[in-house]
Amino acid sequence: MTGSTPSWPRSLYRLGRFSFRKRHVVALFWVALLALAGAGAAGAPAAGNSSFSIPGTEAQKAFDLLDERFPGASADGATARVVFKAPDGQKMTDPGNKAAVQETVDELSGGAEVTQVTDPYQGGGVSQDGSVAYASVTYEVPGMELEESSREALKAAAEDARDSGLTVEIGGDALQAVPETGSAEIIGIGVAAVVLVVTLGSLLAAGLPLLTAIVGVGIGVATITALASTLDLGSTTSILASMIGLAVGIDYALFVVSRYRAELAEGREREEAAGRAVGTAGSAVVFAGLTVVIALVGLSVVNIPMLTKMGIAAAGTVAVAVLIALTLIPALLGYAGRRVRPAGEKSKLLGGGRAKNDKADRPNMGTRWASFVVRRPLAVLLLGVVGLGAAAVPAGSLELGLPDDGSQPTSTTQRRAYDLLSEGFGPGFNGPLVVVVDAEGSDDPEAVFQQAGDEIKALDNVVNVAPAAPNKAGDTATIAVIPDAKPSSAATEDLVHDIRAVGADIKDGTGADVLVTGATAMNIDVSQKLNDALVPYLVLVVGLAFLLLIVVFRSILVPLKAALGFLLSVLAALGAVVAVYQWGWLSGLMGVEETGPIMSMMPIFMVGVVFGLAMDYEVFLVTRIREAHVHGEKPAQAVVTGFRYSARVVTAAAIIMIAVFSGFIGSSDSMVKMIGFGLAIAVLFDAFVVRMAIVPAVLALLGAKAWWLPKWLDRALPNVDVEGESLAVHDRAADKDDEDKELVRA
């Protein structure tokens, strides 16, 4: 290595010793921070749905125009559709059924937060065959901000109508609830606990990563909850932050505790071992955490505020997990004392203290696996690449979209209302398009409104076009368009593009703007924007992390191999997501009741998170290999040595992450469910195929060339010493000083 010896590993070393020695102060600080965040969360308003704005899209421009030209219309207010179906042999126009519906409309109109209720018999809300009718209810506040009394009143009105013999279901976002993760999350944490006990050989040592991860997630989620109303954070933000924070929190703590036990096995005193664990494994934690933060904060390049906030909130939780691993873990190790044993020893409860046998001296699984890979690197490499390539094939059929009530489980009233409306009015009725005609600069706005309506009626895949509804000023009008196909279909997307093409022609002829909005058009615009942003995002995040890894590993080929391996694993994971959630493979096992397009935000969010986590394993695994190489071992032997010390811990960390992410598959929120599965399968592919098989195979094939770095770049790069070599240099210098003193005394 060139350049001066870096001081920051020594700083981390001193931080570890300080936290061990001043454990009361450190523990009190984190407890106080948790209490402060908890108090803030307790006094904060409940989180609602983040305002879903997409700057730069036509749907958002039209939405903003509606707010400006139709003041008081509560464009972002909650909506509900109360859907009625007559008993067999009857019609909704029968006097008794009509009276029951009218009673329901009157009951709903008296709601405290209700701004409007449309009567089915006056607003065209009865199907042609007379079997189905619906009443639309509009509220003055968004769905997640509705008072519980308003939801209860809505349910009670529906129940009263059911008593008259009608089938009644409720659609829309008025009944939207905060997503639940289910009991599977607890099972995931339980699996993590078992893995920690097996890996660390002690119940107490296993409890430390779990405890600190829960503290970190508690601080992160409580802070998000406290700021949710102020910063307009969505209800899923805290769930995603807890998912990622819990996984990395356990992993980072595990790496520090494992290194601490290894240092104890070398015969070091406990305070010294804590300092060295933070100075070595802690260095890797800092750089691994930095890659995760880069990936999450990088989501801001997509320019969708909700996605940006989700990324920053999750990045904040990761940063807390890093700080806890560097400070609270050594503090708790100080409290644990001799109850945390050196590596290779188990507690008496788990079989420790027994006489050793010959098996203890055999190479561990990591050593045996690495030895196998370096003997047959080409075969392992080809098998890994071909396997991931095959898993990635379904990704070529990826279709993006956003969920609506049609993606809800069939057990929900929202889904049943969706199906009833499709049955009575056609599938496109659940995804009406709102065409906004801005004729402010036109000489004859009425003629423009009529022209727009007539031209839209002439398009394919249009069932109905409502008459234009102008505002008070008469310069802007809305036209409701009912497509023939369901909202998430390609035909509906084509219709949106066709209407926009018509709008461009009208603008050329009259100067009036014709804009398409509504939930369906918004979903189409979001999907397109995310599609367009995926490649630039990949280039930015992979590029920044590539530069960071060049600094960490002082190599060109190792970071390049890391980036290419990530691309393989993320494509394979996307292929698995498409196979399950779009094609329906193993859908019953995964609790997928309705297949369809993949959540539009899911691929780019998964790419960001998985990249950060993939670099975690790369840093933890390859730093040990490079450490052995720096200390003079030949390339192949360095791979084996690195696996001997790190494979067990990296494997445990990966299993923990898979277990934690899998726990979120039981969530009631389709996006959380899909992301949980995607992240779990991505970690499985990346940790066990890419990092455990492809990485050692490539390093074995490259040999010493893997660590090549141009001399000019070697001189230009800062020496970050992520392996903690400066600590070893310091030890050697201290030993030499001691020898010199002994010679002087002699």
Side-chain angles (χ1 to χ4, degrees):
M1 289 185 190
T2 62
S4 60
T5 301
S7 60
W8 82 283
R10 296 286 302 166
S11 299
L12 288 177
Y13 164 79
R14 287 192 290 268
L15 177 63
R17 294 195 63 163
F18 170 84
S19 300
F20 185 95
R21 191 169 57 252
K22 302 292 185 180
R23 60 189 75 107
H24 303 310
V25 175
V26 173
L28 184 61
F29 169 80
W30 285 108
V31 169
L33 195 58
L34 179 62
L36 184 64
N49 265 1
S50 179
S51 55
F52 197 71
S53 61
I54 315 123
T57 61
E58 180 174 315
Q60 185 63 46
K61 184 180 177 182
F63 191 83
D64 295 340
L65 187 65
L66 284 174
D67 270 350
E68 177 189 335
R69 304 287 175 83
F70 293 81
S74 301
D76 62 343
T79 59
R81 275 179 170 175
V82 183
V83 188
F84 308 89
K85 184 177 181 182
D88 291 342
Q90 298 182 25
K91 293 189 175 183
M92 289 306 304
T93 50
D94 293 346
N97 294 335
K98 193 171 182 178
V101 171
Q102 190 60 57
E103 188 176 332
T104 304
V105 169
D106 293 341
E107 185 178 346
L108 289 169
S109 298
E113 296 177 297
V114 174
T115 59
Q116 184 182 13
V117 181
T118 60
D119 188 322
Y121 303 100
Q122 296 178 9
V126 181
S127 64
Q128 284 188 345
D129 63 2
S131 64
V132 177
Y134 74 92
S136 293
V137 186
T138 306
Y139 294 87
E140 60 188 20
V141 296
M144 294 301 291
E145 296 178 17
L146 273 180
E147 295 287 341
E148 192 58 35
S149 58
S150 295
R151 291 195 180 94
E152 291 303 322
L154 180 60
K155 293 176 185 176
E159 195 58 45
D160 291 342
R162 289 189 187 104
D163 293 339
S164 67
L166 297 173
T167 299
V168 186
E169 304 295 347
I170 305 170
D173 61 354
L175 294 185
Q176 196 169 27
V178 175
E180 298 175 355
T181 55
S183 59
E185 182 185 355
I186 306 300
I187 297 173
I189 295 175
V191 172
V194 172
V195 173
L196 286 169
V197 170
V198 172
T199 304
L200 299 176
S202 162
L203 291 174
L204 181 63
L208 294 183
L210 280 175
L211 174 62
T212 55
I214 291 170
V215 170
V217 168
I219 292 171
V221 171
T223 302
I224 290 168
T225 304
L227 298 175
S229 180
T230 305
L231 300 181
D232 191 26
L233 302 177
S235 56
T236 56
T237 302
S238 59
I239 295 179
L240 294 172
S242 67
M243 179 196 302
I244 297 164
L246 191 61
V248 300
I250 294 174
D251 278 8
Y252 293 166
L254 169 62
F255 285 116
V256 174
V257 172
S258 298
R259 188 63 184 243
Y260 171 78
R261 296 178 70 235
E263 296 294 338
L264 289 180
E266 295 286 333
R268 293 189 170 86
E269 293 297 324
R270 294 185 178 273
E271 183 178 328
E272 175 69 12
R276 287 183 161 276
V278 175
T280 52
S283 298
V285 164
V286 170
F287 277 95
L290 190 55
T291 59
V292 180
V293 169
I294 286 173
L296 291 170
V297 174
L299 290 168
S300 58
V301 303
V302 183
N303 196 26
I304 293 180
M306 186 177 79
L307 191 60
T308 299
K309 292 170 186 175
M310 285 166 52
I312 291 175
T317 307
V318 171
V320 170
V322 171
L323 293 174
I324 281 179
L326 299 179
T327 57
L328 186 56
I329 280 291
L332 294 179
L333 289 171
Y335 283 117
R338 297 186 180 279
R339 285 169 290 184
V340 174
R341 298 171 180 270
E345 293 187 19
K346 295 182 179 179
S347 64
K348 291 182 179 180
L349 184 63
L350 297 174
R354 297 175 185 171
K356 292 185 178 180
N357 54 38
D358 293 338
K359 291 183 179 180
D361 298 325
R362 292 181 183 176
N364 62 19
M365 182 66 74
T367 302
R368 294 197 295 273
W369 170 249
S371 299
F372 169 79
V373 174
V374 297
R375 287 197 304 271
R376 299 173 179 82
L378 190 58
V380 171
L381 176 62
L382 289 175
L383 186 62
V385 171
V386 170
L388 290 179
V393 169
S397 303
L398 177 67
E399 295 176 10
L400 298 180
L402 286 175
D404 53 22
D405 285 347
S407 62
Q408 297 265 18
T410 52
S411 58
T412 63
T413 186
Q414 292 96 324
R415 172 60 187 277
R416 291 196 293 265
Y418 180 97
D419 291 340
L420 283 177
L421 288 171
S422 296
E423 176 188 329
F425 298 90
F429 195 79
N430 284 291
L433 304 174
V434 179
V435 178
V436 183
V437 184
D438 178 10
E440 186 177 35
S442 174
D443 296 332
D444 189 357
E446 286 287 345
V448 175
F449 302 155
Q450 186 65 43
Q451 179 187 353
D454 292 343
E455 293 196 26
I456 292 171
K457 279 181 186 176
L459 294 175
D460 294 335
N461 196 34
V462 173
V463 172
N464 184 52
V465 177
N471 63 350
K472 288 182 180 180
D475 58 5
T476 308
T478 60
I479 301 174
V481 180
I482 305 299
D484 183 46
K486 65 180 183 177
S488 58
S489 68
T492 300
E493 183 175 348
D494 291 340
L495 176 60
V496 170
H497 295 314
D498 291 343
I499 295 174
R500 286 173 174 168
V502 165
D505 293 339
I506 292 175
K507 183 175 178 63
D508 291 340
T510 67
D513 280 328
V514 179
L515 309 172
V516 186
T517 189
T520 302
M522 193 78 84
N523 292 352
I524 291 168
D525 286 353
V526 170
S527 300
Q528 186 60 51
K529 185 160 188 174
L530 288 165
N531 244 349
D532 294 342
L534 187 57
V535 172
Y537 174 68
L538 272 173
V539 171
L540 173 70
V541 173
V542 174
L544 286 175
F546 178 73
L547 295 175
L548 182 66
L549 291 179
I550 288 177
V551 174
V552 173
F553 295 129
R554 308 191 75 78
S555 162
I556 297 292
L557 296 179
V558 170
L560 181 61
K561 172 254 323 163
L564 293 176
F566 154 73
L567 290 175
L568 265 177
S569 58
V570 82
L571 286 173
L574 279 175
V577 170
V578 169
V580 173
Y581 289 89
Q582 190 175 308
W583 291 359
W585 295 5
L586 302 177
S587 56
L589 182 63
M590 295 298 164
V592 181
E593 295 191 23
E594 186 73 21
T595 59
I598 303 304
M599 186 87 57
S600 55
M601 281 187 289
M602 190 268 174
I604 200 164
F605 189 82
M606 190 181 83
V607 163
V609 176
V610 172
F611 183 78
L613 301 181
M615 295 307 102
D616 277 5
Y617 298 124
E618 182 75 12
V619 169
F620 289 123
L621 188 63
V622 179
T623 47
R624 271 294 197 169
I625 295 173
R626 187 172 187 275
E627 187 176 345
H629 179 67
V630 166
H631 290 165
E633 292 189 9
K634 292 182 178 179
Q637 184 56 41
V639 171
V640 176
T641 300
F643 268 69
R644 179 168 73 246
Y645 289 115
S646 60
R648 177 185 177 92
V649 179
V650 169
T651 300
I655 294 173
I656 288 168
M657 276 204 180
I658 292 168
V660 171
F661 290 146
S662 297
F664 288 85
I665 297 174
S667 173
S668 62
D669 185 274
S670 54
M671 180 174 178
V672 174
K673 180 194 291 282
M674 198 179 291
I675 288 180
F677 172 79
L679 293 180
I681 200 74
V683 170
L684 176 69
F685 288 150
D686 195 85
F688 293 106
V689 181
V690 175
R691 309 302 151 190
M692 287 293 178
I694 293 177
V695 165
V698 171
L699 290 177
L701 287 170
L702 291 175
K705 295 176 184 176
W707 309 106
W708 171 80
L709 187 70
K711 291 183 179 179
W712 64 268
L713 187 55
D714 188 36
R715 289 191 297 268
L717 290 177
N719 182 8
V720 298
D721 186 24
V722 74
E723 304 91 358
E725 173 64 13
S726 60
L727 298 180
V729 171
H730 180 268
D731 280 353
R732 289 193 290 270
D735 291 342
K736 189 174 186 307
D737 287 343
D738 290 342
E739 291 175 6
D740 291 343
K741 290 176 183 177
E742 288 295 329
L743 287 173
V744 169
R745 282 197 293 270

